[in-house]
Amino acid sequence: MTAEEIVREIYGNNYTIDDLKRIEKAVTEEQECWQKKQFKKEIENNVRNQKHSN
C-alpha cells in the first residue's frame, strides 16, 4: 500500500500535494526517531553483554 493510498483511504479524495508532503515529512521524522531508539537499545545491550562476559 502506498502513502497516497493510505491518505486516500483516510481523507477520501480531499487532500492536496502539500498534505502529502507534510505527512511524508512527519513519517520520515518518526522513522528517524525509531531508528535512533533502536540503535541506542543495541548499544545498551552490547555494553551489558560485554560487562557480563568480563
Side-chain angles (χ1 to χ4, degrees):
M1 186 173 255
T2 67
E4 186 175 353
E5 290 169 338
I6 294 169
V7 170
R8 189 173 285 149
E9 199 172 285
I10 295 170
Y11 294 108
N13 287 326
N14 190 21
Y15 64 92
T16 65
I17 296 297
D18 287 337
D19 292 334
L20 290 176
K21 288 179 182 177
R22 197 174 77 248
I23 292 166
E24 179 184 32
K25 183 177 185 263
V27 168
T28 301
E29 289 173 356
E30 190 68 21
Q31 183 181 28
E32 289 171 1
C33 180
W34 279 104
Q35 286 173 343
K36 287 177 186 176
K37 286 180 182 179
Q38 183 62 34
F39 183 70
K40 184 179 177 184
K41 277 184 185 177
E42 288 175 14
I43 291 174
E44 290 171 350
N45 287 339
N46 288 342
V47 168
R48 191 176 309 116
N49 289 339
Q50 285 177 353
K51 285 181 181 178
H52 291 294
S53 331
N54 293 335

